[in-house]
Amino acid sequence: MKAYIIINEKDNVATALRNLQKGEILENIKLLNDIASGHKFALRDIKENEEVIKYAQAIASANCDIKAGEWVHIHNTSGIRGRGDKNEKNNGL
């Protein structure tokens, strides 16, 4: 079984298809953290405020510098897409 998937060549993150261990080398990248199945890791360095790209689409913005091989999740990214639960028009509905 493949260990990870890259959806599009433009992506700067890959998604783990199994639990990955810190120190494993994938895509010539040494993982800096354990990566749980279904979670993402950086394929290259991503600078603070740079877009996180998956599916060839921006899915988030880095809220700090992220190194290649680092776990990419809510602790180091900020959402850039609208959330209905945060929309003031939806309050009380």
Side-chain angles (χ1 to χ4, degrees):
M1 176 180 184
K2 191 169 180 176
Y4 62 93
I5 186 168
I6 301 169
I7 307 297
N8 187 284
E9 64 187 24
K10 296 177 184 177
D11 295 352
N12 58 13
V13 294
T15 303
L17 297 176
R18 62 170 172 80
N19 290 335
L20 304 175
Q21 301 298 312
K22 178 180 178 178
E24 281 189 66
I25 298 176
L26 306 167
E27 288 292 308
N28 295 316
I29 299 164
K30 186 175 183 178
L31 296 181
L32 302 179
N33 310 99
D34 290 338
I35 311 293
S37 180
H39 286 243
K40 297 174 292 299
F41 64 92
L43 293 170
R44 61 169 180 77
D45 290 347
I46 302 171
K47 297 290 185 191
E48 183 175 5
N49 297 318
E50 186 178 346
E51 292 178 333
V52 175
I53 307 295
K54 182 176 175 184
Y55 315 111
Q57 300 291 316
I59 61 166
S61 176
N63 61 25
C64 62
D65 289 345
I66 302 171
K67 294 181 190 242
E70 191 173 347
W71 179 36
V72 177
H73 199 56
I74 61 172
H75 68 288
N76 56 9
T77 64
S78 297
I80 59 173
R81 295 181 180 211
R83 291 180 45 178
D85 64 333
K86 297 289 186 178
N87 186 338
E88 290 181 27
K89 293 179 184 177
N90 290 336
N91 286 346
L93 294 180

